[in-house]
Amino acid sequence: MKRTLFRIVFLVLFAALALCVLPENARWANVILPRLSPLLNLGGALGARRFLGWWLLLGTPLLILPLFKGRLFCWWMCPMGFVAETASRISPSKIRLAKIQWVGKGVALLIIGSAVAGYPLLIWLDPLCIFTGFFAAWRQPVTWASVALSAGFFSILVLSLIVPNVWCHRLCPLGGMQEWISGLRRRLPSKRRDLEGERPRELGPAVDRRVFLGFAAAGAGGLAARKFLGSKKSAVIRPPGAAETSFNALCARCGNCMRACPYGLIVPDLGVSGIDGLLTPVLKFRSQNPTQYSFCFQECVACTKVCPTGALQALSVEVKKKTSIGVAKLDKKKCIAWEKQEFCVVCQEFCPYQAVIEEEHKGVNCPVIDEEKCRGCGACESQCPALPIAIVISGQRSVSPLRQSVGKG
């Protein structure tokens, strides 16, 4: 009963963080919950190839605690673990775990090993990210795309009902990492007395050959994935500060950036950027969401402040204004000015970067895009009076000297 009450308290606390109930000026605290995971911190920092801030220290306790108290966090504090255990208790299934191998240890090794190679595979299986992603899914307005973020949460519930305790005891990579650390103390080189002969004996090395081989295989897998997946270019529009390479691997699908966006522009990708980009964040403006009349405001950097893995680099407002997320493309056949010779430069009026200039055509001033000035904010698209919309934002752009190197992985 004591442990249950303790876990309920932590569940409520973590749910409050995930639900974003804090005042707007304290929304940065949303990053606390996923940053408690050392698996996420290490995988993100190694994969992004940069220091992700002092927030990384939040994961230190879960690196040290298992050496003394085993998986205390799993059994007393983990919110996803508590939900899975509750589902296991009410499960009518009698399937036992004896014949199921410890997969979580291998997944943890795969995440860290592939992160060293620059492409952290399966980092999105971290339970704290799955937990926060569930709450991010129910933001307003609720759509099928947003609800897709909760797939991991419900998958764990279903697994726990079919095979009780399988997530915490066999599949969880964070639990697997703590299991490795907990076992490390028992395998550290030390002298003990043999119970039969009272003679000192040496224990085996802390890390055996299988771990080295697994780590090497994970690194090779990360290199292969980085070459064949990480170098692919996609036409989707990513949030500001997105890593130009390895974004799909670095993204934990935690939903923090989606929940942080005050305009509701960021939604989960449902496969446009490839199978490895499933549920990663993309921006959808009015042409892809007819009810959306907002754009990526030039002074808003909310989404860049809450990424726990480095998939999005934290930007200042000054850097944000110099960072391109896409480019406006004008279809002259749909444009009122170009096609109908009627005066219309609404896109120019609303562009905050003066990226729309005028060109005379048949006696009418018509809009033209200056790609070097365009940042892809979507202001022009949001206000275009033509139907269908004549000016839309594309993730593909010409090579420009103003193209920023922000967020390179």
Side-chain angles (χ1 to χ4, degrees), residues 54-356:
W54 297 108
W55 285 110
L56 293 177
L57 295 178
L58 284 175
T60 304
L62 294 192
L63 287 175
I64 300 174
L65 192 63
L67 287 172
F68 304 97
K69 296 294 183 179
R71 295 177 62 186
L72 181 69
F73 176 80
C74 296
W75 311 136
W76 286 77
M77 290 173 272
C78 179
M80 194 68 249
F82 181 49
V83 171
E85 185 179 303
T86 302
S88 297
R89 287 179 177 176
I90 63 175
S91 170
S93 176
K94 302 299 181 182
I95 299 177
R96 296 185 179 182
L97 296 174
K99 296 183 179 180
I100 302 176
Q101 297 296 318
W102 235 120
V103 178
K105 291 182 180 180
V107 175
L109 196 63
L110 175 63
I111 292 173
I112 301 301
S114 58
V116 173
Y119 204 83
L121 298 167
L122 304 184
I123 196 172
W124 41 269
L125 284 178
D126 184 275
L128 298 185
C129 276
I130 292 174
F131 184 79
T132 55
F134 169 76
F135 288 97
W138 308 103
R139 63 193 177 95
Q140 295 296 328
V142 176
T143 64
W144 284 111
S146 64
V147 171
L149 276 176
S150 63
F153 185 93
F154 287 114
S155 296
I156 291 175
L157 287 183
V158 172
L159 281 172
S160 299
L161 289 171
I162 298 173
V163 186
N165 299 311
V166 68
W167 171 255
C168 294
H169 291 263
R170 292 293 186 272
L171 302 181
C172 177
L174 181 56
M177 184 182 194
Q178 292 184 85
E179 192 74 22
W180 279 120
I181 297 173
S182 179
L184 187 64
R185 183 180 61 171
R186 298 190 296 268
R187 297 179 62 84
L188 286 173
S190 62
K191 291 185 177 181
R192 292 187 179 178
R193 293 193 174 277
D194 189 285
L195 294 179
E196 296 181 358
E198 292 295 323
R199 292 177 300 176
R201 62 185 178 88
E202 295 286 339
L203 289 181
V207 181
D208 60 27
R209 183 174 57 182
R210 290 175 300 175
V211 176
F212 280 118
L213 292 175
F215 191 80
L223 287 173
R226 181 173 181 139
K227 179 179 180 180
F228 294 106
L229 298 176
S231 60
K232 290 193 308 183
K233 298 297 182 182
S234 175
V236 297
I237 305 167
R238 298 295 186 189
E244 292 189 2
T245 60
S246 304
F247 180 86
N248 289 346
L250 283 169
C251 178
R253 282 75 164 172
C254 65
N256 271 354
C257 58
M258 303 176 198
R259 188 169 54 249
C261 179
Y263 311 109
L265 289 168
I266 307 177
V267 298
D269 176 26
L270 296 183
V272 176
S273 61
I275 189 64
D276 63 318
L278 191 65
L279 301 184
T280 55
V282 295
L283 272 72
K284 288 193 175 181
F285 297 112
R286 184 175 154 223
S287 61
Q288 296 181 343
N289 183 2
T291 63
Q292 179 59 265
Y293 284 86
S294 296
F295 63 97
C296 189
F297 186 58
Q298 62 270 24
E299 295 188 356
C300 178
V301 292
C303 63
T304 76
K305 303 295 186 182
V306 295
C307 180
T309 64
L312 299 180
Q313 180 177 341
L315 302 179
S316 64
V317 173
E318 291 72 21
V319 174
K320 159 72 182 296
K321 290 180 179 179
K322 299 176 182 178
T323 302
S324 298
I325 59 175
V327 65
K329 299 290 186 180
L330 177 67
D331 188 339
K332 293 181 180 180
K333 294 182 179 180
K334 298 177 181 178
C335 179
I336 293 175
W338 282 98
E339 183 66 17
K340 299 180 179 180
Q341 287 77 55
E342 297 178 9
F343 179 79
C344 179
V345 285
V346 173
C347 50
Q348 183 188 54
E349 295 172 8
F350 281 89
C351 179
Y353 298 104
Q354 291 77 52
V356 182

